[in-house]
Amino acid sequence: MNISTLDKQSAQIHVLGDEASHLLAGLEAMRSELGELAEELIALLRGTGIEPAHAPDHIRTEYAGPE
């Protein structure tokens, strides 16, 4: 994420598509806690064609014991 324009009234940022997808998924997961701002950001992201990131079907975990 890079901030390209910043002033007292607004900020403009550039985000890669993959980062925006994860951001959208996080905003949607916390939409009730974040309120109107989350709804506005979700609408803006979806308006540009961003879809939320999907969780993997299986998360691989391994135990690496002490050596």
Side-chain angles (χ1 to χ4, degrees):
M1 181 182 324
N2 296 319
I3 298 173
S4 60
T5 308
L6 181 64
D7 60 37
K8 292 183 180 184
Q9 298 297 319
S10 64
Q12 187 176 38
I13 60 171
H14 292 274
V15 180
L16 297 174
D18 191 43
E19 290 175 329
S21 182
H22 286 283
L23 175 61
L24 178 57
L27 286 168
E28 288 184 340
M30 298 186 66
R31 113 187 303 152
S32 62
E33 290 90 1
L34 298 174
E36 286 184 35
L37 182 57
E39 295 297 333
E40 185 179 343
L41 292 172
I42 289 168
L44 289 169
L45 287 167
R46 286 204 174 265
T48 60
I50 302 295
E51 293 294 323
H54 298 286
D57 294 333
H58 176 70
I59 299 174
R60 181 177 172 182
T61 58
E62 297 180 9
Y63 173 72
E67 293 183 26

Short mmCIF file of all heavy atoms in Angstrom, two decimals:
data_model
loop_
_atom_site.label_atom_id
_atom_site.label_comp_id
_atom_site.label_asym_id
_atom_site.label_seq_id
_atom_site.Cartn_x
_atom_site.Cartn_y
_atom_site.Cartn_z
N MET A 1 0.85 -1.16 0.00
CA MET A 1 0.00 0.00 0.00
C MET A 1 0.90 1.23 0.00
O MET A 1 1.80 1.34 0.81
CB MET A 1 -0.90 -0.02 1.23
CG MET A 1 -1.84 1.13 1.30
SD MET A 1 -2.92 1.24 2.75
CE MET A 1 -3.33 -0.38 3.17
N ASN A 2 0.63 2.13 -0.91
CA ASN A 2 1.39 3.37 -1.01
C ASN A 2 0.44 4.55 -0.96
O ASN A 2 -0.57 4.58 -1.66
CB ASN A 2 2.18 3.43 -2.32
CG ASN A 2 3.23 2.35 -2.39
OD1 ASN A 2 3.90 2.08 -1.41
ND2 ASN A 2 3.36 1.73 -3.55
N ILE A 3 0.77 5.52 -0.14
CA ILE A 3 -0.03 6.75 -0.07
C ILE A 3 0.48 7.68 -1.15
O ILE A 3 1.65 8.02 -1.18
CB ILE A 3 0.09 7.41 1.31
CG1 ILE A 3 -0.45 6.48 2.39
CG2 ILE A 3 -0.65 8.75 1.33
CD1 ILE A 3 -0.24 6.97 3.80
N SER A 4 -0.42 8.08 -2.06
CA SER A 4 0.01 8.97 -3.14
C SER A 4 -0.38 10.41 -2.89
O SER A 4 0.31 11.32 -3.30
CB SER A 4 -0.55 8.49 -4.47
OG SER A 4 -1.96 8.49 -4.45
N THR A 5 -1.51 10.64 -2.21
CA THR A 5 -1.96 11.99 -1.89
C THR A 5 -2.53 11.98 -0.48
O THR A 5 -3.30 11.11 -0.13
CB THR A 5 -3.06 12.45 -2.86
OG1 THR A 5 -2.62 12.28 -4.20
CG2 THR A 5 -3.43 13.90 -2.63
N LEU A 6 -2.13 12.96 0.30
CA LEU A 6 -2.61 13.04 1.68
C LEU A 6 -2.79 14.50 2.06
O LEU A 6 -1.89 15.31 1.90
CB LEU A 6 -1.60 12.38 2.62
CG LEU A 6 -1.92 12.33 4.10
CD1 LEU A 6 -3.15 11.49 4.35
CD2 LEU A 6 -0.74 11.76 4.87
N ASP A 7 -3.98 14.84 2.52
CA ASP A 7 -4.23 16.17 3.07
C ASP A 7 -5.21 16.04 4.23
O ASP A 7 -5.54 14.94 4.63
CB ASP A 7 -4.73 17.15 1.99
CG ASP A 7 -6.03 16.70 1.34
OD1 ASP A 7 -6.90 16.15 2.02
OD2 ASP A 7 -6.17 16.93 0.12
N LYS A 8 -5.68 17.14 4.76
CA LYS A 8 -6.54 17.09 5.94
C LYS A 8 -7.94 16.56 5.65
O LYS A 8 -8.64 16.15 6.56
CB LYS A 8 -6.64 18.48 6.57
CG LYS A 8 -5.34 18.93 7.18
CD LYS A 8 -5.48 20.26 7.86
CE LYS A 8 -4.13 20.66 8.45
NZ LYS A 8 -4.22 21.90 9.21
N GLN A 9 -8.34 16.54 4.39
CA GLN A 9 -9.69 16.10 4.03
C GLN A 9 -9.74 14.70 3.43
O GLN A 9 -10.77 14.04 3.50
CB GLN A 9 -10.31 17.09 3.04
CG GLN A 9 -10.46 18.48 3.59
CD GLN A 9 -11.41 18.53 4.77
OE1 GLN A 9 -12.43 17.88 4.77
NE2 GLN A 9 -11.04 19.29 5.80
N SER A 10 -8.67 14.25 2.82
CA SER A 10 -8.72 12.96 2.12
C SER A 10 -7.33 12.35 2.00
O SER A 10 -6.32 13.01 2.20
CB SER A 10 -9.33 13.14 0.73
OG SER A 10 -8.49 13.97 -0.05
N ALA A 11 -7.34 11.08 1.66
CA ALA A 11 -6.11 10.36 1.39
C ALA A 11 -6.35 9.49 0.16
O ALA A 11 -7.43 8.93 -0.01
CB ALA A 11 -5.71 9.50 2.57
N GLN A 12 -5.35 9.38 -0.69
CA GLN A 12 -5.45 8.51 -1.85
C GLN A 12 -4.32 7.50 -1.75
O GLN A 12 -3.16 7.86 -1.56
CB GLN A 12 -5.33 9.33 -3.13
CG GLN A 12 -5.58 8.52 -4.37
CD GLN A 12 -5.56 9.38 -5.61
OE1 GLN A 12 -4.76 10.31 -5.72
NE2 GLN A 12 -6.43 9.07 -6.54
N ILE A 13 -4.69 6.21 -1.86
CA ILE A 13 -3.69 5.15 -1.74
C ILE A 13 -3.73 4.25 -2.97
O ILE A 13 -4.75 4.18 -3.65
CB ILE A 13 -3.91 4.30 -0.46
CG1 ILE A 13 -5.28 3.64 -0.48
CG2 ILE A 13 -3.72 5.13 0.79
CD1 ILE A 13 -5.49 2.63 0.61
N HIS A 14 -2.63 3.57 -3.22
CA HIS A 14 -2.54 2.58 -4.28
C HIS A 14 -2.27 1.24 -3.62
O HIS A 14 -1.37 1.11 -2.79
CB HIS A 14 -1.42 2.92 -5.26
CG HIS A 14 -1.70 4.15 -6.05
ND1 HIS A 14 -2.42 4.12 -7.22
CD2 HIS A 14 -1.39 5.44 -5.84
CE1 HIS A 14 -2.53 5.34 -7.69
NE2 HIS A 14 -1.91 6.17 -6.87
N VAL A 15 -3.10 0.25 -3.96
CA VAL A 15 -3.02 -1.08 -3.35
C VAL A 15 -3.00 -2.11 -4.47
O VAL A 15 -3.76 -2.00 -5.43
CB VAL A 15 -4.23 -1.33 -2.42
CG1 VAL A 15 -4.15 -2.69 -1.78
CG2 VAL A 15 -4.33 -0.25 -1.37
N LEU A 16 -2.15 -3.12 -4.33
CA LEU A 16 -2.14 -4.22 -5.29
C LEU A 16 -3.45 -4.99 -5.19
O LEU A 16 -4.09 -5.02 -4.13
CB LEU A 16 -0.96 -5.15 -5.02
CG LEU A 16 0.43 -4.54 -5.18
CD1 LEU A 16 1.49 -5.53 -4.75
CD2 LEU A 16 0.65 -4.10 -6.61
N GLY A 17 -3.86 -5.64 -6.26
CA GLY A 17 -5.12 -6.38 -6.29
C GLY A 17 -5.23 -7.43 -5.21
O GLY A 17 -6.28 -7.58 -4.57
N ASP A 18 -4.14 -8.17 -4.96
CA ASP A 18 -4.16 -9.21 -3.93
C ASP A 18 -4.35 -8.60 -2.54
O ASP A 18 -5.11 -9.13 -1.73
CB ASP A 18 -2.87 -10.02 -4.00
CG ASP A 18 -2.91 -11.26 -3.16
OD1 ASP A 18 -3.95 -11.95 -3.19
OD2 ASP A 18 -1.92 -11.53 -2.45
N GLU A 19 -3.67 -7.50 -2.28
CA GLU A 19 -3.82 -6.82 -0.99
C GLU A 19 -5.24 -6.28 -0.83
O GLU A 19 -5.83 -6.37 0.25
CB GLU A 19 -2.83 -5.66 -0.87
CG GLU A 19 -1.39 -6.08 -0.74
CD GLU A 19 -0.45 -4.89 -0.74
OE1 GLU A 19 -0.75 -3.87 -1.39
OE2 GLU A 19 0.59 -4.98 -0.08
N ALA A 20 -5.80 -5.73 -1.89
CA ALA A 20 -7.16 -5.20 -1.84
C ALA A 20 -8.17 -6.31 -1.58
O ALA A 20 -9.14 -6.13 -0.84
CB ALA A 20 -7.50 -4.48 -3.15
N SER A 21 -7.92 -7.47 -2.15
CA SER A 21 -8.79 -8.62 -1.93
C SER A 21 -8.79 -9.06 -0.47
O SER A 21 -9.84 -9.34 0.11
CB SER A 21 -8.33 -9.77 -2.84
OG SER A 21 -9.16 -10.87 -2.71
N HIS A 22 -7.62 -9.08 0.15
CA HIS A 22 -7.52 -9.43 1.57
C HIS A 22 -8.12 -8.32 2.45
O HIS A 22 -8.76 -8.62 3.47
CB HIS A 22 -6.07 -9.70 1.96
CG HIS A 22 -5.57 -11.01 1.45
ND1 HIS A 22 -5.89 -12.20 2.01
CD2 HIS A 22 -4.78 -11.29 0.40
CE1 HIS A 22 -5.33 -13.19 1.34
NE2 HIS A 22 -4.64 -12.66 0.35
N LEU A 23 -7.92 -7.09 2.06
CA LEU A 23 -8.52 -5.97 2.79
C LEU A 23 -10.04 -6.07 2.77
O LEU A 23 -10.70 -5.92 3.80
CB LEU A 23 -8.07 -4.64 2.18
CG LEU A 23 -8.68 -3.38 2.76
CD1 LEU A 23 -8.36 -3.23 4.23
CD2 LEU A 23 -8.21 -2.16 1.97
N LEU A 24 -10.61 -6.36 1.61
CA LEU A 24 -12.06 -6.50 1.48
C LEU A 24 -12.58 -7.64 2.36
O LEU A 24 -13.58 -7.49 3.05
CB LEU A 24 -12.44 -6.72 0.02
CG LEU A 24 -13.93 -6.93 -0.26
CD1 LEU A 24 -14.76 -5.77 0.25
CD2 LEU A 24 -14.14 -7.15 -1.75
N ALA A 25 -11.89 -8.76 2.35
CA ALA A 25 -12.31 -9.90 3.18
C ALA A 25 -12.29 -9.52 4.66
O ALA A 25 -13.22 -9.85 5.41
CB ALA A 25 -11.41 -11.10 2.93
N GLY A 26 -11.27 -8.79 5.10
CA GLY A 26 -11.18 -8.36 6.49
C GLY A 26 -12.26 -7.36 6.85
O GLY A 26 -12.86 -7.44 7.93
N LEU A 27 -12.54 -6.42 5.95
CA LEU A 27 -13.60 -5.44 6.20
C LEU A 27 -14.96 -6.11 6.31
O LEU A 27 -15.76 -5.77 7.18
CB LEU A 27 -13.63 -4.39 5.08
CG LEU A 27 -12.51 -3.37 5.08
CD1 LEU A 27 -12.52 -2.59 3.77
CD2 LEU A 27 -12.64 -2.44 6.26
N GLU A 28 -15.21 -7.08 5.44
CA GLU A 28 -16.49 -7.78 5.50
C GLU A 28 -16.62 -8.62 6.76
O GLU A 28 -17.69 -8.74 7.32
CB GLU A 28 -16.70 -8.61 4.24
CG GLU A 28 -16.97 -7.74 3.03
CD GLU A 28 -17.30 -8.50 1.78
OE1 GLU A 28 -16.96 -9.70 1.68
OE2 GLU A 28 -17.90 -7.89 0.88
N ALA A 29 -15.51 -9.18 7.22
CA ALA A 29 -15.55 -9.99 8.44
C ALA A 29 -15.82 -9.13 9.67
O ALA A 29 -16.41 -9.59 10.64
CB ALA A 29 -14.23 -10.74 8.61
N MET A 30 -15.41 -7.86 9.63
CA MET A 30 -15.57 -6.97 10.79
C MET A 30 -16.57 -5.85 10.54
O MET A 30 -16.58 -4.86 11.25
CB MET A 30 -14.21 -6.38 11.16
CG MET A 30 -13.20 -7.41 11.57
SD MET A 30 -11.68 -6.66 12.15
CE MET A 30 -12.25 -5.85 13.62
N ARG A 31 -17.43 -6.03 9.57
CA ARG A 31 -18.35 -4.97 9.15
C ARG A 31 -19.22 -4.47 10.29
O ARG A 31 -19.45 -3.28 10.40
CB ARG A 31 -19.10 -5.43 7.93
CG ARG A 31 -20.52 -5.66 8.04
CD ARG A 31 -21.19 -6.28 6.84
NE ARG A 31 -21.01 -5.54 5.60
CZ ARG A 31 -21.02 -6.10 4.41
NH1 ARG A 31 -21.22 -7.38 4.27
NH2 ARG A 31 -20.86 -5.37 3.34
N SER A 32 -19.69 -5.35 11.18
CA SER A 32 -20.57 -4.89 12.26
C SER A 32 -19.81 -4.05 13.29
O SER A 32 -20.37 -3.12 13.86
CB SER A 32 -21.24 -6.08 12.95
OG SER A 32 -20.27 -6.91 13.54
N GLU A 33 -18.53 -4.34 13.50
CA GLU A 33 -17.74 -3.58 14.46
C GLU A 33 -17.28 -2.24 13.89
O GLU A 33 -17.09 -1.27 14.62
CB GLU A 33 -16.50 -4.36 14.91
CG GLU A 33 -16.80 -5.56 15.79
CD GLU A 33 -17.03 -6.83 14.99
OE1 GLU A 33 -16.93 -6.78 13.73
OE2 GLU A 33 -17.32 -7.85 15.59
N LEU A 34 -17.09 -2.17 12.57
CA LEU A 34 -16.53 -0.97 11.94
C LEU A 34 -17.59 0.03 11.47
O LEU A 34 -17.27 1.18 11.24
CB LEU A 34 -15.63 -1.37 10.77
CG LEU A 34 -14.42 -2.22 11.16
CD1 LEU A 34 -13.68 -2.68 9.91
CD2 LEU A 34 -13.50 -1.46 12.08
N GLY A 35 -18.82 -0.42 11.29
CA GLY A 35 -19.91 0.50 10.98
C GLY A 35 -19.89 1.07 9.58
O GLY A 35 -19.51 0.42 8.61
N GLU A 36 -20.31 2.34 9.49
CA GLU A 36 -20.52 3.00 8.19
C GLU A 36 -19.25 3.11 7.35
O GLU A 36 -19.30 3.00 6.14
CB GLU A 36 -21.09 4.39 8.40
CG GLU A 36 -22.54 4.41 8.81
CD GLU A 36 -23.08 5.83 8.90
OE1 GLU A 36 -22.67 6.68 8.09
OE2 GLU A 36 -23.90 6.06 9.80
N LEU A 37 -18.13 3.34 8.00
CA LEU A 37 -16.88 3.47 7.25
C LEU A 37 -16.56 2.18 6.51
O LEU A 37 -16.17 2.19 5.35
CB LEU A 37 -15.72 3.86 8.17
CG LEU A 37 -14.37 4.06 7.49
CD1 LEU A 37 -14.46 5.12 6.40
CD2 LEU A 37 -13.32 4.43 8.50
N ALA A 38 -16.77 1.05 7.19
CA ALA A 38 -16.53 -0.24 6.54
C ALA A 38 -17.47 -0.42 5.35
O ALA A 38 -17.04 -0.87 4.27
CB ALA A 38 -16.72 -1.38 7.52
N GLU A 39 -18.73 -0.05 5.51
CA GLU A 39 -19.70 -0.19 4.42
C GLU A 39 -19.28 0.65 3.21
O GLU A 39 -19.37 0.21 2.07
CB GLU A 39 -21.09 0.23 4.89
CG GLU A 39 -21.69 -0.67 5.95
CD GLU A 39 -21.91 -2.10 5.50
OE1 GLU A 39 -22.09 -2.34 4.29
OE2 GLU A 39 -21.89 -2.99 6.37
N GLU A 40 -18.79 1.86 3.48
CA GLU A 40 -18.34 2.73 2.39
C GLU A 40 -17.12 2.15 1.68
O GLU A 40 -17.06 2.12 0.45
CB GLU A 40 -18.01 4.11 2.95
CG GLU A 40 -17.64 5.12 1.89
CD GLU A 40 -17.34 6.50 2.46
OE1 GLU A 40 -17.71 6.77 3.62
OE2 GLU A 40 -16.73 7.29 1.73
N LEU A 41 -16.16 1.67 2.43
CA LEU A 41 -14.96 1.08 1.83
C LEU A 41 -15.29 -0.20 1.07
O LEU A 41 -14.74 -0.44 -0.02
CB LEU A 41 -13.91 0.81 2.91
CG LEU A 41 -13.29 2.04 3.54
CD1 LEU A 41 -12.42 1.65 4.72
CD2 LEU A 41 -12.48 2.83 2.52
N ILE A 42 -16.18 -1.02 1.62
CA ILE A 42 -16.60 -2.25 0.93
C ILE A 42 -17.23 -1.90 -0.41
O ILE A 42 -16.92 -2.51 -1.44
CB ILE A 42 -17.56 -3.07 1.82
CG1 ILE A 42 -16.78 -3.70 2.99
CG2 ILE A 42 -18.27 -4.15 1.01
CD1 ILE A 42 -17.66 -4.29 4.08
N ALA A 43 -18.11 -0.92 -0.41
CA ALA A 43 -18.77 -0.50 -1.65
C ALA A 43 -17.76 0.02 -2.67
O ALA A 43 -17.86 -0.29 -3.87
CB ALA A 43 -19.83 0.56 -1.35
N LEU A 44 -16.78 0.79 -2.22
CA LEU A 44 -15.76 1.31 -3.13
C LEU A 44 -14.91 0.19 -3.72
O LEU A 44 -14.63 0.18 -4.92
CB LEU A 44 -14.88 2.33 -2.40
CG LEU A 44 -15.53 3.66 -2.07
CD1 LEU A 44 -14.64 4.47 -1.13
CD2 LEU A 44 -15.83 4.44 -3.34
N LEU A 45 -14.50 -0.75 -2.88
CA LEU A 45 -13.68 -1.87 -3.37
C LEU A 45 -14.47 -2.74 -4.34
O LEU A 45 -13.97 -3.11 -5.41
CB LEU A 45 -13.16 -2.70 -2.20
CG LEU A 45 -12.06 -2.06 -1.37
CD1 LEU A 45 -11.85 -2.82 -0.07
CD2 LEU A 45 -10.77 -1.97 -2.16
N ARG A 46 -15.70 -3.07 -3.98
CA ARG A 46 -16.54 -3.90 -4.87
C ARG A 46 -16.85 -3.15 -6.17
O ARG A 46 -16.95 -3.75 -7.23
CB ARG A 46 -17.79 -4.33 -4.17
CG ARG A 46 -17.52 -5.42 -3.14
CD ARG A 46 -18.78 -6.21 -2.89
NE ARG A 46 -18.52 -7.34 -2.03
CZ ARG A 46 -18.27 -8.57 -2.47
NH1 ARG A 46 -18.24 -8.81 -3.75
NH2 ARG A 46 -18.05 -9.55 -1.62
N GLY A 47 -16.98 -1.83 -6.08
CA GLY A 47 -17.26 -1.01 -7.26
C GLY A 47 -16.14 -1.02 -8.28
O GLY A 47 -16.36 -0.77 -9.46
N THR A 48 -14.94 -1.30 -7.82
CA THR A 48 -13.80 -1.39 -8.74
C THR A 48 -13.55 -2.81 -9.22
O THR A 48 -12.59 -3.07 -9.93
CB THR A 48 -12.51 -0.86 -8.09
OG1 THR A 48 -12.21 -1.63 -6.94
CG2 THR A 48 -12.63 0.60 -7.72
N GLY A 49 -14.43 -3.75 -8.81
CA GLY A 49 -14.30 -5.13 -9.28
C GLY A 49 -13.52 -6.04 -8.36
O GLY A 49 -13.23 -7.19 -8.73
N ILE A 50 -13.15 -5.59 -7.19
CA ILE A 50 -12.40 -6.42 -6.25
C ILE A 50 -13.34 -7.43 -5.61
O ILE A 50 -14.45 -7.10 -5.21
CB ILE A 50 -11.74 -5.56 -5.14
CG1 ILE A 50 -10.81 -4.51 -5.76
CG2 ILE A 50 -11.01 -6.42 -4.13
CD1 ILE A 50 -9.62 -5.07 -6.47
N GLU A 51 -12.90 -8.67 -5.53
CA GLU A 51 -13.63 -9.74 -4.84
C GLU A 51 -12.84 -10.14 -3.60
O GLU A 51 -11.61 -10.10 -3.62
CB GLU A 51 -13.81 -10.96 -5.75
CG GLU A 51 -14.73 -10.70 -6.93
CD GLU A 51 -16.16 -10.44 -6.49
OE1 GLU A 51 -16.62 -11.09 -5.52
OE2 GLU A 51 -16.81 -9.59 -7.12
N PRO A 52 -13.53 -10.53 -2.52
CA PRO A 52 -12.80 -10.90 -1.30
C PRO A 52 -11.96 -12.15 -1.50
O PRO A 52 -12.31 -13.04 -2.27
CB PRO A 52 -13.91 -11.14 -0.27
CG PRO A 52 -15.15 -11.35 -1.05
CD PRO A 52 -14.97 -10.64 -2.35
N ALA A 53 -10.84 -12.20 -0.79
CA ALA A 53 -9.96 -13.37 -0.84
C ALA A 53 -10.68 -14.55 -0.21
O ALA A 53 -11.39 -14.41 0.78
CB ALA A 53 -8.67 -13.08 -0.10
N HIS A 54 -10.48 -15.73 -0.78
CA HIS A 54 -11.10 -16.93 -0.25
C HIS A 54 -10.11 -17.67 0.63
O HIS A 54 -8.91 -17.73 0.32
CB HIS A 54 -11.55 -17.85 -1.39
CG HIS A 54 -12.60 -17.21 -2.25
ND1 HIS A 54 -13.90 -17.05 -1.83
CD2 HIS A 54 -12.54 -16.68 -3.49
CE1 HIS A 54 -14.59 -16.46 -2.78
NE2 HIS A 54 -13.78 -16.21 -3.80
N ALA A 55 -10.60 -18.22 1.71
CA ALA A 55 -9.75 -19.02 2.60
C ALA A 55 -9.37 -20.31 1.88
O ALA A 55 -10.18 -20.87 1.14
CB ALA A 55 -10.49 -19.34 3.89
N PRO A 56 -8.16 -20.79 2.09
CA PRO A 56 -7.76 -22.05 1.44
C PRO A 56 -8.62 -23.21 1.95
O PRO A 56 -9.12 -23.17 3.07
CB PRO A 56 -6.29 -22.21 1.84
CG PRO A 56 -6.10 -21.33 3.01
CD PRO A 56 -7.12 -20.24 2.91
N ASP A 57 -8.78 -24.23 1.11
CA ASP A 57 -9.56 -25.40 1.49
C ASP A 57 -8.95 -26.12 2.69
O ASP A 57 -9.66 -26.64 3.54
CB ASP A 57 -9.68 -26.38 0.33
CG ASP A 57 -10.48 -25.81 -0.82
OD1 ASP A 57 -11.35 -24.94 -0.56
OD2 ASP A 57 -10.25 -26.20 -1.97
N HIS A 58 -7.64 -26.16 2.72
CA HIS A 58 -6.97 -26.85 3.82
C HIS A 58 -5.72 -26.05 4.20
O HIS A 58 -4.92 -25.69 3.34
CB HIS A 58 -6.56 -28.27 3.40
CG HIS A 58 -5.78 -28.99 4.44
ND1 HIS A 58 -6.35 -29.41 5.62
CD2 HIS A 58 -4.49 -29.36 4.51
CE1 HIS A 58 -5.42 -30.02 6.37
NE2 HIS A 58 -4.29 -29.99 5.70
N ILE A 59 -5.59 -25.77 5.48
CA ILE A 59 -4.40 -25.09 5.96
C ILE A 59 -3.46 -26.13 6.53
O ILE A 59 -3.82 -26.89 7.43
CB ILE A 59 -4.76 -24.03 7.03
CG1 ILE A 59 -5.68 -22.98 6.43
CG2 ILE A 59 -3.50 -23.40 7.60
CD1 ILE A 59 -6.22 -21.99 7.42
N ARG A 60 -2.26 -26.19 5.99
CA ARG A 60 -1.29 -27.19 6.41
C ARG A 60 -0.53 -26.67 7.61
O ARG A 60 0.02 -25.57 7.59
CB ARG A 60 -0.33 -27.48 5.27
CG ARG A 60 0.69 -28.52 5.60
CD ARG A 60 1.54 -28.79 4.40
NE ARG A 60 2.63 -29.66 4.78
CZ ARG A 60 3.57 -30.06 3.96
NH1 ARG A 60 3.56 -29.67 2.72
NH2 ARG A 60 4.52 -30.83 4.39
N THR A 61 -0.49 -27.44 8.67
CA THR A 61 0.29 -27.09 9.84
C THR A 61 1.21 -28.25 10.19
O THR A 61 0.87 -29.43 10.00
CB THR A 61 -0.61 -26.80 11.05
OG1 THR A 61 -1.41 -27.94 11.34
CG2 THR A 61 -1.51 -25.62 10.79
N GLU A 62 2.36 -27.94 10.65
CA GLU A 62 3.34 -28.94 11.04
C GLU A 62 3.98 -28.52 12.36
O GLU A 62 4.10 -27.34 12.65
CB GLU A 62 4.44 -29.08 9.99
CG GLU A 62 3.94 -29.57 8.66
CD GLU A 62 5.06 -29.68 7.63
OE1 GLU A 62 6.24 -29.55 8.01
OE2 GLU A 62 4.74 -29.88 6.46
N TYR A 63 4.37 -29.50 13.13
CA TYR A 63 5.07 -29.24 14.37
C TYR A 63 6.54 -29.46 14.13
O TYR A 63 6.97 -30.51 13.67
CB TYR A 63 4.57 -30.15 15.49
CG TYR A 63 5.39 -30.02 16.76
CD1 TYR A 63 5.30 -28.89 17.54
CD2 TYR A 63 6.26 -31.02 17.14
CE1 TYR A 63 6.05 -28.76 18.68
CE2 TYR A 63 7.02 -30.91 18.28
CZ TYR A 63 6.91 -29.77 19.06
OH TYR A 63 7.65 -29.65 20.19
N ALA A 64 7.33 -28.45 14.44
CA ALA A 64 8.78 -28.58 14.34
C ALA A 64 9.31 -28.53 15.76
O ALA A 64 9.45 -27.47 16.36
CB ALA A 64 9.36 -27.46 13.50
N GLY A 65 9.60 -29.68 16.31
CA GLY A 65 10.05 -29.77 17.68
C GLY A 65 11.45 -29.20 17.87
O GLY A 65 12.13 -28.85 16.91
N PRO A 66 11.85 -29.07 19.12
CA PRO A 66 13.20 -28.54 19.38
C PRO A 66 14.26 -29.46 18.83
O PRO A 66 14.11 -30.66 18.80
CB PRO A 66 13.24 -28.45 20.90
CG PRO A 66 12.22 -29.41 21.38
CD PRO A 66 11.15 -29.48 20.30
N GLU A 67 15.33 -28.86 18.39
CA GLU A 67 16.42 -29.65 17.83
C GLU A 67 17.52 -29.83 18.83
O GLU A 67 17.82 -29.07 19.65
CB GLU A 67 16.95 -28.97 16.58
CG GLU A 67 15.90 -29.00 15.50
CD GLU A 67 16.42 -28.39 14.21
OE1 GLU A 67 17.63 -28.40 13.96
OE2 GLU A 67 15.59 -27.91 13.45
#
